[in-house]
């Protein structure tokens, strides 16, 4: 019997990988205004994608979040670097009133995965309700 995979409440397809300026290596010596411009662009992008999908609900008090990095090639990448670059995207979900907060109480540990599609760079964020059977319980 096939496994039933719940449909996400929200699925955002971002046409690039997270901004490299959020990686730890870029942060050293970088002027705060550079990061702020990128942060604002990311927040605006997330809010626009959320509105495109017609999100009208109240911010979720608990949710499961998964992120899939679609990588264009098999170049060596550090998973921790990609994960750390997600901060403005989660903040954008809070600003768009999808999530109450981006803390452990609200989203727990996001699930990260990756796939390869030649020549395609994307970040796919899926938000599931807390009744999702994949949510780990203590």
């Amino acid at each position: 019997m096939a496994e039933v995979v719940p449909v996400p409440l929200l699925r955002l397809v971002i046409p690039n990988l997270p901004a490299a300026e959020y990686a730890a290596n870029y942060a050293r010596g970088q002027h705060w205004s550079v990061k702020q411009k990128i942060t604002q662009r990311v927040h605006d992008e997330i809010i626009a994608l959320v509105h495109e999908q017609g999100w009208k609900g109240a911010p979720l008090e608990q949710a499961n979040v998964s992120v899939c990095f679609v990588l264009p090639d098999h170049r060596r990448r550090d998973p921790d670097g990609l994960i750390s670059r997600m901060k403005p995207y989660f903040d954008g979900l809070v600003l768009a009133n999808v999530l109450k907060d981006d803390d452990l109480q609200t989203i727990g540990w996001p699930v990260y995965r990756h796939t390869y599609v030649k020549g395609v760079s994307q970040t796919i964020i899926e938000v599931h309700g807390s009744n999702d059977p994949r949510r780990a319980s203590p």
Side-chain angles (χ1 to χ4, degrees):
M1 188 166 156
E3 178 185 346
V4 176
V5 178
V7 175
L9 297 172
L10 194 64
R11 185 173 195 266
L12 306 177
V13 179
I14 300 152
N16 48 45
L17 294 172
E21 289 80 2
Y22 273 87
N25 290 341
Y26 280 88
R28 293 184 190 101
Q30 184 181 65
H31 194 270
W32 64 268
S33 65
V34 172
K35 193 180 269 189
Q36 180 56 36
K37 287 177 186 172
I38 295 163
T39 298
Q40 190 60 54
R41 179 185 52 80
V42 169
H43 289 172
D44 292 346
E45 180 179 28
I46 293 296
I47 291 168
L49 287 170
V50 166
H51 286 275
E52 269 179 30
Q53 292 196 25
W55 178 264
K56 301 250 191 263
L60 298 170
E61 304 255 344
Q62 285 194 321
N64 294 322
V65 177
S66 65
V67 177
C68 180
F69 300 109
V70 180
L71 305 172
D73 53 43
H74 289 272
R75 195 182 87 206
R76 190 170 172 251
R77 289 179 174 83
D78 179 11
D80 290 342
L82 285 170
I83 291 169
S84 69
R85 292 159 51 179
M86 288 300 298
K87 175 73 174 135
Y89 296 88
F90 291 134
D91 290 342
L93 289 171
V94 173
L95 291 170
N97 290 319
V98 172
L99 302 172
K100 178 183 146 206
D101 202 343
D102 61 347
D103 62 357
L104 289 173
Q105 298 288 20
T106 306
I107 64 172
W109 290 102
V111 174
Y112 294 97
R113 56 192 167 83
H114 71 282
T115 189
Y116 297 98
V117 177
K118 187 175 182 172
V120 176
S121 292
Q122 290 180 334
T123 304
I124 302 170
I125 303 171
E126 291 185 345
V127 179
H128 293 265
S130 62
N131 62 351
D132 188 324
R134 292 179 288 179
R135 184 169 183 88
S137 56

